[in-house]
Amino acid sequence: ISGQPDGTYTVTVTSTSDPTCTEDVVVTINAGPTISDATIAVAGPFCENDAASNLSAADPGGTWSGTGITDAVNGTFDPATAGAGTHTITYTISGACGDTDTEDITVNAADDASFSYASGSYCLTDPDPTPTITGTGGGTFSIDNSGVINTTTGEIDIAGSGAGSYVVTYTTTGPCPDSQTFNVTLTTGADATI
């Protein structure tokens, strides 16, 4: 059939052991490409807080499905809708010469850099404050205005920093990092010396 134009053909099959035994088989060659190619382009990994984006495949015109697909025609994948984990996405091109492909897409959980100190203001005579991390642990701390801070624990060196206003930043280091800040003011306080 290779090389034949599109159309319907009758092929006669004859038995090799009994030449009188024959049967006709109808074969249809469809117009267009021999086989559609539904191969999905590799996508991800994504973070949960990434914006939605359109997936792509080798041939257009198919339908997308799977967890996180919010538009079956355009192949829009929304990581927030999918949630953290590995999700199987399917792309199907229908028709006599259709094709189907699947792709596993990974969505990583977004880090949460939430932290706080017990107060936003300290006197120079107060003990050095250490923050409470309520989000993802294992990040690093930094401070502006030449302040002094333990980058691992977030403990502010009050004496080393001196009076002033500071912004402490905590940044996580996972595949989907986050960063948040906390304002701290260090004051000289009252002097009750007689």
Side-chain angles (χ1 to χ4, degrees), residues 74-99:
N74 293 318
T76 305
F77 179 78
D78 187 350
T81 300
T86 300
H87 309 284
T88 301
I89 303 302
T90 303
Y91 180 63
T92 303
I93 302 174
S94 59
C97 295
D99 192 21

Side-chain angles (χ1 to χ4, degrees), residues 2-194:
S2 179
Q4 294 293 324
D6 297 339
T8 301
Y9 299 89
T10 301
V11 178
T12 302
V13 180
T14 304
S15 171
T16 55
S17 61
D18 182 2
T20 62
C21 183
T22 63
E23 181 157 348
D24 291 337
V25 177
V26 176
V27 177
T28 301
I29 300 175
N30 292 316
T34 305
I35 296 177
S36 295
D37 187 355
T39 302
I40 299 171
V42 175
F46 294 98
C47 293
E48 271 184 303
N49 55 358
D50 284 346
S53 61
N54 291 339
L55 304 176
S56 62
D59 288 342
T63 303
W64 298 86
S65 62
T67 303
I69 295 295
T70 57
D71 185 326
V73 175
N74 293 318
T76 305
F77 179 78
D78 187 350
T81 300
T86 300
H87 309 284
T88 301
I89 303 302
T90 303
Y91 180 63
T92 303
I93 302 174
S94 59
C97 295
D99 192 21
T100 298
D101 188 31
T102 60
E103 180 77 22
D104 286 339
I105 295 180
T106 300
V107 177
N108 294 309
D111 285 353
D112 176 7
S114 297
F115 78 104
S116 63
Y117 289 88
S119 175
S121 179
Y122 295 93
C123 295
L124 295 182
T125 55
D126 287 338
D128 291 343
T130 301
T132 299
I133 300 171
T134 55
T136 307
T140 57
F141 289 90
S142 62
I143 192 169
D144 69 347
N145 292 338
S146 301
V148 180
I149 195 168
N150 182 310
T151 59
T152 303
T153 66
E155 181 180 68
I156 299 172
D157 182 342
I158 290 179
S161 298
S165 295
Y166 301 92
V167 178
V168 176
T169 303
Y170 176 62
T171 305
T172 64
T173 57
C176 299
D178 187 26
S179 182
Q180 294 194 26
T181 61
F182 192 92
N183 295 325
V184 175
T185 301
L186 304 181
T187 62
T188 55
D191 186 355
T193 302
I194 297 174

